Amino acid sequence: YTPTAVLIALIAATPIALRRRFWLMFWGMLAIHGAIVIRLTALLLDTGFAEPTKKFAVWRPGSFMTDVINRADVILADNPTFAYVLAVFVWIFVLICVQAWYDWRPGKTEELTDGNNP
């Protein structure tokens, strides 16, 4: 998936300590795959699983929800640039959360660098 590859590249290029980068990778992978699940759910609901005329329909939404599902599919699945934008926003969100956690937690013992500098 493109969002996963973009997120890995952004995390690899982030100038932070290695331990923080591993945590950033862990939480980033969880977040990006959660977003991919939402994206694929919108795609599946739009292509038939929420279509009232299909015999294998899992859900029969009303006209408002059908319109919401169609618009979500256009934004999330049909737009090729959304994968890049999604990865950047997930990277920013996870980076802020990981940095905030390291600044907030009690008993900070880790240096801001990898420990190579005195």
Side-chain angles (χ1 to χ4, degrees), residues 61-98:
S63 62
F64 175 75
M65 281 308 293
T66 302
D67 189 41
V68 168
I69 291 169
N70 289 338
R71 289 178 190 264
D73 179 56
V74 169
I75 293 169
L76 299 175
D78 291 344
N79 190 352
T81 59
F82 182 76
Y84 299 104
V85 174
L86 174 69
V88 170
F89 279 116
V90 166
W91 172 69
I92 290 170
F93 176 73
V94 173
L95 180 64
I96 289 171
C97 290
V98 167

Side-chain angles (χ1 to χ4, degrees), residues 37-116:
V37 166
I38 292 170
R39 183 179 185 185
L40 291 177
T41 301
L43 176 68
L44 288 173
L45 286 175
D46 187 54
T47 57
F49 285 108
E51 183 68 37
T53 59
K54 306 271 180 151
K55 66 179 181 178
F56 55 83
V58 177
W59 179 45
R60 301 193 190 290
S63 62
F64 175 75
M65 281 308 293
T66 302
D67 189 41
V68 168
I69 291 169
N70 289 338
R71 289 178 190 264
D73 179 56
V74 169
I75 293 169
L76 299 175
D78 291 344
N79 190 352
T81 59
F82 182 76
Y84 299 104
V85 174
L86 174 69
V88 170
F89 279 116
V90 166
W91 172 69
I92 290 170
F93 176 73
V94 173
L95 180 64
I96 289 171
C97 290
V98 167
Q99 288 294 107
W101 166 252
Y102 273 99
D103 292 339
W104 172 80
R105 69 186 173 105
K108 296 183 271 187
T109 58
E110 182 184 5
E111 295 293 325
L112 293 177
T113 63
D114 287 329
N116 296 333

